Amino acid sequence: MLKLYTRVVRLIGSSILAVTLVSSLAHGQGLGNTPYSALGLGEAYPLGNAANIGMGGLGISNPNPFYLNLQNPALLATRPPVTVFEVGLQGLSRSLTQRISNSTQSQQNFGANLGYLAVAFPANPRWSMSVSLRPFTYVNYSTVQVQQVPGTNRSGVYDYKGSGGLNKASFATGFRLFEKKNVYVGGEASFLFGNITNSSAAYVALNGNGTDTQVNLLNRVNYGDVVFKLGAAWRPKLSENWTLNLGATYDPETRIKGTQTDIYQLTQSSSPITTPDTARNNVTGKTTLPQQVHAGISIERNNRFTAGVDVGYQQWSRFRNNDNVSTGLLDAITTAVGFELTPKSNSTRYRDLITYRLGAQYNQMPYEIGGTRINDMNVSTGVSLPLGRYRVNQVTLSLVYGQRGVLAGMQVREQYLRMALGFSLADRWFVKRVID
């Protein structure tokens, strides 16, 4: 009992330390400035952990005994009877470029945040559970637009900014239905919470010294509601060494509760010249999160080699904001391919136990600018280093390089380098001691 208590204390201490280390970064900038986060509920975080990120985000069908699967709850039941704790950190370096008239403007920025905290434990040999906390979306953008006021020679200046995001606290469970058929089902219940603030300011440039009267609008929505996910998997044996993995997940359409506040105010030289006018104060509404379907197929050889493909469909055309208004998003398709290789998983030599990963993604985003769809393409690589007495603990580093949009029309080309660092710690808990 004392040993179990010590482990729990260490687990809680590790979680608090991880949150403390990244809180200063997470509070200020999420994963950096991107204009695409102005749409919908913001920019979505990757669904998988650091290991999945290194192989193209692959994770709907492929389990791994050393890592948690955060993408398909059914695969929790494939885990060995050990408790595993995981923490992940993410960083993103961006370069934004846009052609305006005959000039090219560019901007670089960097952001970092906590990627996930998760722990999974077995209930019995056929049933496992997990709890996790991770960011779900983030909003971070700042855009200035200058247009001539019709019928005058004056310019109107419009300044748009956004910040915030949603977090996701989840409980998931997976169960093995038929022991000899290797069929698994699972479910996840999550509480989404957080807030998103969008502000806009507009003024006509008359004086040119910053003293023009400015009209300001601040819109803030606080979200809090429960969402669900269902998962299934089938892992038939092809031979003594090879296994075929099939998996699928379904996120049903959900309306999440939000309370909205709108405030108008006139300012001059950054000082208020009128009392703030609260047009709406904590008005309750519902935001529609559309349904999502993901499916994957992979082939695996005795924890040494795994390769597969995942596809996903998100019905973002059904998205409605807190005012029940469509924001013009389009249905999106995601495709991921990847593999991982451990030279000799049963070897005693350290270099044979290192896991290597490669992957790629092609994503049709739900955005359209100037009549042109925005696509996201990236390649990834990663490595996991075993640690500890029995080499069951892992530290994982993954890198993703990609591009979204092109230098054409009004599009913003975004080139990025994503870095993910993950720690996986495994141990046997709840073992009944036998005294001979």
Side-chain angles (χ1 to χ4, degrees), residues 408-429:
M410 299 176 61
Q411 290 192 44
V412 176
R413 185 185 69 187
E414 181 179 299
Q415 296 174 313
Y416 59 87
L417 177 65
R418 183 187 301 272
M419 296 148 281
L421 180 64
F423 301 90
S424 178
L425 308 175
D427 199 358
R428 283 186 176 271
W429 288 18

Side-chain angles (χ1 to χ4, degrees), residues 54-91:
M55 53 193 301
L58 204 70
I60 300 300
S61 68
N62 49 300
N64 190 298
F66 298 108
Y67 316 99
L68 281 180
N69 187 298
L70 302 176
Q71 295 171 256
N72 187 346
L75 294 178
L76 283 170
T78 67
R79 292 198 47 76
V82 297
T83 298
V84 61
F85 169 69
E86 290 197 4
V87 57
L89 309 175
Q90 292 188 31

Side-chain angles (χ1 to χ4, degrees), residues 181-198:
K181 298 296 184 180
N182 294 320
V183 177
Y184 308 86
V185 294
E188 180 184 87
S190 302
F191 183 69
L192 287 183
F193 63 97
N195 62 78
I196 295 175
T197 300
N198 295 287

Side-chain angles (χ1 to χ4, degrees), residues 5 57 94 105 122 134 158 160 176 180 200 212 221 227 232 244 255 273 283 288 291 295 301 303 339 342 347 391:
Y5 173 79
R94 276 193 180 89
Q105 298 183 0
R134 46 188 158 155
Y158 307 88
Y160 305 96
R176 185 174 186 172
K180 295 184 178 181
S200 60
D212 297 306
V221 183
V227 297
L244 177 67
R255 301 195 70 197
I273 59 176
V283 175
T288 302
Q291 65 176 350
R301 182 183 179 184
N303 297 323
F339 76 89
T342 306
S347 174
R391 309 301 192 201

Side-chain angles (χ1 to χ4, degrees), residues 110-414:
F110 175 81
N113 203 352
L114 175 69
Y116 52 88
L117 288 171
V119 60
F121 47 90
N124 62 43
R126 296 171 56 185
W127 179 24
S128 291
M129 296 173 282
S130 72
V131 291
S132 62
L133 174 65
R134 46 188 158 155
F136 183 63
T137 66
Y138 70 94
V139 174
N140 189 339
Y141 67 91
S142 180
T143 303
V144 177
Q145 185 179 14
V146 180
Q147 291 182 338
Q148 185 174 351
V149 179
T152 73
N153 60 352
R154 301 291 185 179
S155 295
V157 181
Y158 307 88
D159 188 357
Y160 305 96
K161 294 180 180 179
S163 61
L166 301 184
N167 301 298
K168 190 176 185 181
S170 304
F171 170 80
T173 183
F175 186 77
R176 185 174 186 172
L177 285 181
F178 308 109
E179 187 170 352
K180 295 184 178 181
K181 298 296 184 180
N182 294 320
V183 177
Y184 308 86
V185 294
E188 180 184 87
S190 302
F191 183 69
L192 287 183
F193 63 97
N195 62 78
I196 295 175
T197 300
N198 295 287
S199 64
S200 60
Y203 65 92
V204 178
L206 298 175
N207 302 320
N209 56 5
T211 60
D212 297 306
T213 300
Q214 185 169 283
V215 181
N216 303 274
L217 167 63
L218 184 142
N219 169 267
R220 180 184 177 94
V221 183
N222 294 291
Y223 296 95
D225 218 325
V226 178
V227 297
F228 299 95
K229 173 187 283 188
L230 302 175
W234 181 37
R235 305 185 66 218
K237 293 286 292 186
L238 301 179
S239 67
E240 182 180 353
N241 296 322
W242 290 92
T243 302
L244 177 67
N245 300 317
L246 301 171
T249 63
Y250 175 64
D251 298 63
E253 181 176 297
T254 307
R255 301 195 70 197
I256 61 174
K257 180 181 177 181
T259 55
Q260 181 168 298
T261 298
D262 292 333
I263 299 175
Y264 295 87
Q265 188 173 35
L266 295 179
T267 61
Q268 191 175 59
S269 300
S270 300
S271 299
I273 59 176
T274 63
T275 302
D277 181 9
T278 303
R280 288 189 288 189
N281 186 23
N282 291 329
V283 175
T284 300
K286 292 279 189 176
T287 295
T288 302
L289 277 182
Q291 65 176 350
Q292 301 187 36
V293 180
H294 293 85
I297 181 172
S298 59
I299 191 168
E300 172 190 337
R301 182 183 179 184
N302 291 344
N303 297 323
R304 290 182 56 187
F305 174 80
T306 301
V309 179
D310 285 354
V311 294
Y313 172 73
Q314 301 90 36
Q315 201 175 17
W316 284 109
S317 60
R318 297 274 301 169
F319 175 82
R320 299 294 184 272
N321 64 16
N322 210 56
D323 292 321
N324 198 32
V325 175
S326 172
T327 58
L329 298 180
L330 305 174
D331 296 343
I333 297 175
T334 61
T335 306
V337 297
F339 76 89
E340 65 178 0
L341 172 66
T342 306
K344 293 182 181 179
S345 58
N346 57 355
S347 174
T348 58
R349 293 192 302 179
Y350 184 83
R351 65 175 179 269
D352 292 336
L353 302 176
I354 298 175
T355 301
Y356 306 90
R357 300 181 180 89
L358 285 175
Q361 278 188 354
Y362 177 82
N363 303 319
Q364 186 182 59
M365 308 302 292
Y367 320 133
E368 184 178 81
I369 298 179
T372 303
R373 287 295 292 266
I374 304 298
N375 297 317
D376 182 308
M377 296 172 286
N378 63 66
V379 293
S380 57
T381 185
V383 61
S384 288
L385 305 176
L387 301 172
R389 182 178 178 183
Y390 299 106
R391 309 301 192 201
V392 295
N393 302 322
Q394 304 278 328
V395 57
T396 299
L397 175 64
S398 295
L399 300 174
V400 182
Y401 177 77
Q403 177 175 308
R404 185 186 319 187
V406 296
L407 280 179
M410 299 176 61
Q411 290 192 44
V412 176
R413 185 185 69 187
E414 181 179 299

